[in-house]
Every structure is written in C-alpha cells, then in structure tokens.
C-alpha cells in the first residue's frame, strides 16, 4: 500500500497537479483502496490545522509583508552598510547582514529575499557587481529567513513534533548566524578576487545616524523575541504584536504605507496563508495514513538494521532531507518528513529540538536548489537575470551552506556523545 501511495503521488506530480492536491489525492486514493472510510480525510485535514500555534503563521506572514513593503528594509540596509560597507565587496556583505536583520522580523525566506533584493540589487548592479552573482547571494541569504526566529517552518515543525516553539526559536539563533557568516566569507573572497569596489567609509557618525533611522525596525525583533523568551506572551500572541507594531510603524511613524496598500497586503497575505494551511491540511492526511500503516517505525527499524553508526545514519537522513527539499515546497516536505524521520532521530539519540533545526535548515537549503528553489525565482523577479543564470551563480553559496549544515548537525551530536 505504501508503494501504491508513492506511485500515485509521483503520477499526480507528473500530471502537473499542484503539490498539495497531489499529496491529498494520493493519500485519499490509497485509503480508499485500503478499505478505510473516507470520512477520515476531512477529519484529519481539520485536525492538522486545529492548533493554536498555527495562528502565528498568518500573522508572521502579514507582518513580514508589511515590513517588506515600506522603508524599514531600506533603513536596515543603510545601517548594515554603515558598519560593513567599507570592506572590499562590502555591499555583498551588507546584503547578507541585511538578510539577517530582516530574518529576525519576517519568518519567511521568500519575504527576506524579496525585501533585500528589491532594495539592494539595483545598487549592486550600479557599482559593477556581477548581477547574477549578487542576485544568487541574496537568494542564498534569504534561507536565513526561516532559521533565525521567528520562523514559520519552525512553528509547523513544533505543531507536528509537539515541541516548544520557544525552544526551537532559541535554538535557531546560532545556526542562522553561522549561515550568515559562511556566506559573508564567500562574499569577501569574491570581492577581492573580482576587485569589487569598497563602499561606505567607516564612520561612527554615520553608524549612529543610520542606527537612529533604523531603530524602529531593529526594535521589532527585540519586542517579538524578547516577549516570547521572557514569557510575557506566547509565539502566537507575539505574531499578533508583530502585525500591530508593523502597522503602527508603517502608517504613523515612517508614513510609507497607505490604507489602500495595507488592504492589498492583507489580501496577499491571506492568499499566501491559505496555500500554506491547505498544504498542512493535505499533508496531515498523508502523515496519518503513513502512521496508521506503521511506516515510520518500519523505516527506523530498517535503517537501524543497516549500520550501528549514528553518524552514518544521520548523514543518510540529511541527504534525504536535502533531496526532498530540492523537489518539494518547504511546508509540504516538512509535514511529510517529520513523522517519518522523527522516530528514527529519537532512536539515534538526537533531541527533537536539534532534529527540528536539522530538518528546517536542510529544507531551507532547498529554497536555492533547483528545480523548486523559490528564493531563486523571487530573486529573478527582482532583477533582469534568468533563473538559469542565477542557479549557476549560486553554486559557491550553496556549497558553504551545505558545509554549515554538516556542522549544525554533527557538532551538537559530538558534544553530547
């Protein structure tokens, strides 16, 4: 029955059906062939999205869209440029730093890529940077958007794994910063190799001026994450606070957002949320089906029978996560893989929080790995570069992200024995 389900899923994808429809249809057909009552399908779809923690998803999507629209992203970029622009090729480094700043606000890789790309790519081209390489770096840095909290995929994983969102958010800081540092190293090396120009002269006066200008944007992650980690409000409540803060700053402080534009942003965020929640609902049916057939336990037993090496088995799991991220959208892959691989991870002695970081980072790398590679398509839409050119230019950044991914997975495992 599992083979039939997998075959139907692949067939529906080859027919051109959307991923969520292919997931739901293949699971429904397999349940029908197995003699299960189809009432299970709507029950599991509703159960999959019946979680208070998921309230944070539409709110963080909306907050990210509002903040990406206005002046906040531009002011964050100016602040990053005042600190790092003096380096040769410093504008590339600035694009990574700006992505890190925006990642702490948006929770979305695509939103981070769009916000930074729209503001920086024209300036990068004007100063003589290779446009395809610049766009690919911003796309690669956009992956940090789902690793540094707040993170929509971490919320989804927390719901599936019944883990604390706060614990996952806290664990995401160091991996996200490590990804940013790795990309900055490559950017600096390319800056010297290609003789890119230096940017803004280092000046304390400029740093203070841009800091004051960007202070409202910099306060957003402090309010959101500070409230969560202090226990003042839950992640779901923090998401609502983020939306109210974004509206307050954009409408009344920076005044770069009209009510008409806010209405259109709300509609767009609603459409994005509908897609995410439908994917979660459809994937929940598939997850329940696999669990009822004891597939996760069978996978764990089979993997453990192959070798006693925890490090080798973890490598196999990581390769599977990377390959899945290449072909499936992040939310779909997360909901399918987590119930299948989490029992194996637990038997290997990997904590559920650590495994959550492993799976989120691995699927984030898929955002810049064709053919799905949503960040590459977003980057292409903000430039005149083709996706093919950007995909070729992203290779060195992709390589360093994979190196960091290995460190994220193996260093904590080594330290815990």
């Amino acid at each position: 029955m599992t083979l039939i389900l997998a075959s139907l899923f692949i067939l529906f994808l080859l027919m051109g059906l959307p991923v969520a429809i292919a997931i739901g249809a293949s699971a429904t057909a397999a349940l029908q062939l197995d003699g299960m009552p189809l009432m299970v399908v709507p029950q599991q779809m509703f159960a999959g999205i019946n979680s208070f923690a998921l309230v944070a998803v539409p709110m963080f999507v909306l907050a990210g869209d509002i903040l990406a629209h206005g002046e906040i992203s531009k002011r964050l970029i100016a602040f990053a440029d005042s600190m790092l622009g003096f380096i040769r090729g410093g504008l590339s480094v600035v694009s990574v730093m700006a992505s890190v700043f925006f990642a702490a606000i948006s929770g979305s890789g695509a939103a981070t890529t769009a916000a930074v790309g729209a503001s920086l790519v024209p300036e990068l081209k004007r100063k003589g940077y290779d446009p395809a390489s610049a766009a690919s770096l911003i796309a690669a840095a956009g992956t940090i958007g789902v690793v540094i909290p707040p993170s929509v995929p971490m919320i989804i994983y927390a719901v599936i794994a019944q883990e604390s969102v706060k614990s996952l958010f806290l664990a995401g800081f160091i991996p996200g910063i490590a990804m940013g540092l790795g990309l900055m190293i490559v950017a600096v090396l390319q800056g010297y190799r290609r003789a890119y120009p230096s940017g803004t002269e280092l000046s304390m006066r400029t740093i203070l001026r841009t800091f004051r200008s960007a202070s409202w944007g910099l306060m957003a992650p402090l309010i959101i994450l500070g409230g969560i980690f202090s226990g003042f409000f839950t992640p779901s409540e923090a998401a609502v606070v983020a939306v109210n803060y974004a509206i307050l700053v954009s409408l009344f402080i920076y005044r770069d957002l009209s009510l008409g534009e806010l209405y259109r942003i709300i509609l767009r965020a609603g459409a994005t949320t509908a897609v995410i929640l439908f994917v979660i609902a459809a994937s929940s049916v598939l997850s329940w089906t696999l669990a009822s057939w004891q597939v996760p336990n069978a996978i764990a037993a089979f993997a453990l029978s192959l070798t006693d090496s925890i490090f080798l088995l973890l490598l196999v799991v990581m390769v599977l996560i990377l390959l899945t991220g290449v072909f499936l959208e992040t939310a779909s892959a997360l909901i399918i893989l987590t119930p299948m691989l989490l029992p194996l991870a637990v038997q290997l002695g990997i904590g559920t929080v650590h495994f959550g970081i492993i799976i989120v980072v691995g699927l984030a790398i898929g955002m810049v790995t064709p053919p799905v590679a949503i960040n590459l398509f977003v980057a292409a839409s903000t430039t005149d570069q083709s996706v093919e050119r950007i995909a070729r230019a992203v290779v060195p950044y992709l390589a360093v992200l994979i190196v960091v991914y290995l460190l994220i997975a193996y260093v904590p495992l080594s330290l815990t024995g």
Side-chain angles (χ1 to χ4, degrees):
M1 291 306 301
T2 304
L3 181 61
I4 291 173
L5 190 156
S7 301
L8 287 172
F9 176 61
I10 295 171
L11 175 63
F12 291 149
L13 286 180
L14 293 175
M15 290 170 59
L17 292 178
V19 173
I21 301 295
I23 291 171
S26 58
T28 302
L31 287 172
Q32 177 69 22
L33 292 173
D34 197 34
M36 293 290 291
L38 292 185
M39 181 60 70
V40 169
V41 175
Q43 288 176 344
Q44 292 305 315
M45 290 183 74
F46 179 79
I49 58 175
N50 186 27
S51 171
F52 179 70
L54 290 179
V55 172
V57 172
M59 294 295 103
F60 278 129
V61 170
L62 178 56
D65 283 353
I66 294 172
L67 294 169
H69 172 84
E71 289 288 321
I72 290 181
S73 59
K74 296 178 182 177
R75 293 170 187 249
L76 291 174
I77 289 171
F79 176 52
D81 185 45
S82 70
M83 294 188 296
L84 300 172
F86 69 94
I87 304 170
R88 179 173 291 279
L91 207 54
S92 295
V93 181
V94 167
S95 65
V96 179
M97 178 60 77
S99 298
V100 171
F101 284 156
F102 199 80
I105 300 175
S106 70
S108 164
T112 300
T113 303
V116 178
S119 301
L120 262 181
V121 168
E123 184 67 13
L124 285 161
K125 290 169 62 178
R126 189 179 68 82
K127 292 193 173 182
Y129 287 73
D130 177 66
S133 180
S136 66
L137 174 58
I138 291 172
T143 60
I144 304 172
V146 298
V147 180
I148 289 182
S151 165
V152 171
M154 284 186 187
I155 296 170
I156 297 172
Y157 173 84
V159 171
I160 301 168
Q162 297 183 340
E163 186 53 75
S164 164
V165 175
K166 182 164 69 172
S167 298
L168 285 162
F169 278 8
L170 191 60
F173 281 108
I174 293 177
I177 292 170
M179 294 166 70
L181 290 175
L183 292 173
M184 286 181 187
I185 291 171
V186 177
V188 170
L189 292 175
Q190 287 190 341
Y192 279 94
R193 183 166 61 87
R194 298 178 179 177
Y196 286 153
S198 299
T200 305
E201 183 179 346
L202 187 62
S203 166
M204 185 57 66
R205 177 177 296 179
T206 304
I207 292 174
L208 291 174
R209 178 178 57 79
T210 56
F211 173 76
R212 284 195 297 270
S213 177
S215 58
W216 288 101
L218 293 170
M219 283 174 60
L222 293 177
I223 294 172
I224 297 166
L225 301 176
I228 293 173
F229 296 137
S230 67
F232 193 74
F233 39 66
T234 67
S236 298
E237 292 166 345
V240 178
V241 171
V243 170
N244 284 281
Y245 182 82
I247 292 174
L248 174 67
V249 172
S250 298
L251 280 180
F252 301 109
I253 297 176
Y254 290 151
R255 298 182 182 180
D256 56 359
L257 184 67
S258 67
L259 290 176
E261 290 170 329
L262 177 60
Y263 174 72
R264 288 188 289 273
I265 289 173
I266 291 173
L267 290 181
R268 187 169 65 246
T272 302
T273 301
V275 172
I276 294 173
L277 292 181
F278 185 74
V279 168
I280 294 173
S283 300
S284 297
V285 180
L286 177 60
S287 299
W288 183 88
T289 304
L290 294 174
S292 67
W293 291 343
Q294 300 294 311
V295 173
N297 293 335
I299 291 173
F302 174 72
L304 291 170
S305 68
L306 296 177
T307 177
D308 294 330
S309 172
I310 294 177
F311 292 93
L312 182 58
L313 285 173
L314 179 56
L315 180 62
V316 172
V317 168
M318 292 167 65
V319 171
L320 178 60
I321 292 170
L322 288 172
L323 290 176
T324 305
V326 167
F327 296 103
L328 287 182
E329 184 269 336
T330 303
S332 306
L334 193 61
I335 298 167
I336 294 171
L337 288 180
T338 301
M340 292 177 60
L341 298 179
L342 187 57
L344 175 59
V346 171
Q347 292 193 45
L348 293 176
I350 301 171
T352 53
V353 172
H354 183 198
F355 183 71
I357 299 300
I358 291 173
I359 195 168
V360 167
V361 173
L363 295 177
I365 293 174
M367 294 179 177
V368 288
T369 311
V372 177
I374 184 171
N375 284 12
L376 297 188
F377 285 96
V378 172
S381 70
T382 61
T383 67
D384 57 358
Q385 302 299 304
S386 66
V387 175
E388 291 76 13
R389 284 200 65 195
I390 298 175
R392 286 194 295 270
V394 83
V395 171
Y397 308 119
L398 183 59
V400 77
L401 287 176
I402 291 175
V403 171
V404 173
Y405 184 42
L406 292 170
L407 293 174
I408 291 169
Y410 282 112
V411 170
L413 188 64
S414 300
L415 293 176
T416 56

